[in-house]
Amino acid sequence: MKQAITPATIGLGLFLASALPASADFRLCNNTASRTSISLAYTDGEIWVSEGWWNLKPGACETLVRGPLAAEFYYVYAMDERGGEWKGKAFMCTRDREFRILGREDCYVRGFDRTGFFEVDTGKEAKNWTVQLTDPAPQKPTP
């Protein structure tokens, strides 16, 4: 199953595809030309958790959640070393160094940053999923 999504943020492309049926994980692959830092957020229905950072070299993949998916929606924020970012409108708490933060409320009051994550809808029945970050398509000059 494949689903195309293009964040309006910086015009960086995003392509989502479900992983091979043999695995049962939430994975992210960095198909860009730059090292990329990744953070992930999810809920168990009661408590929100945001965590990061996974640093992926170009062409590398990482398992962010091991085992069958427990949620339908996951949230991702990524930034590359050239200043590009993949973000959205679902705000979660983050910080500059490695983190695991419970809750998404009052980020600033609790001493964290507030960062916009993009939503990944894995569907109600998915047991595994892979997000593939890609560089933006070249822009055609306007006449």
Side-chain angles (χ1 to χ4, degrees), residues 6-141:
T6 32
T9 55
I10 299 181
L12 295 174
L14 171 67
F15 176 77
L16 299 173
S18 113
L20 297 174
S23 65
D25 300 316
F26 186 94
R27 294 173 42 87
L28 190 136
C29 294
N30 177 14
N31 294 325
T32 73
S34 300
R35 177 177 292 278
T36 304
S37 297
I38 313 297
S39 56
L40 177 71
Y42 52 89
T43 181
D44 66 2
E46 294 181 24
I47 299 172
W48 281 94
V49 177
S50 56
E51 52 189 322
W53 297 98
W54 289 268
N55 294 300
L56 278 67
K57 294 185 282 188
C61 295
E62 182 75 34
T63 299
L64 307 184
V65 177
R66 297 199 181 280
L69 301 182
E72 179 178 350
F73 297 99
Y74 289 82
Y75 299 84
V76 175
Y77 172 79
M79 63 182 166
D80 68 22
E81 59 193 0
R82 293 188 284 175
E85 57 185 344
W86 293 258
K87 62 183 181 178
K89 296 179 181 177
F91 289 94
M92 309 290 172
C93 300
T94 61
R95 66 178 178 191
D96 289 340
R97 61 187 186 279
E98 186 177 331
F99 66 92
R100 184 172 195 278
I101 301 169
L102 300 179
R104 62 186 282 194
E105 302 81 22
D106 304 319
C107 297
Y108 297 127
V109 172
R110 297 190 295 149
F112 302 120
D113 296 320
R114 185 173 176 262
T115 305
F117 286 55
F118 67 84
E119 182 178 89
V120 177
D121 182 351
T122 63
K124 294 183 187 292
E125 303 299 321
K127 298 299 179 208
N128 58 76
W129 199 264
T130 298
V131 174
Q132 302 204 26
L133 297 179
T134 60
D135 284 321
Q139 298 292 319
K140 293 181 182 178

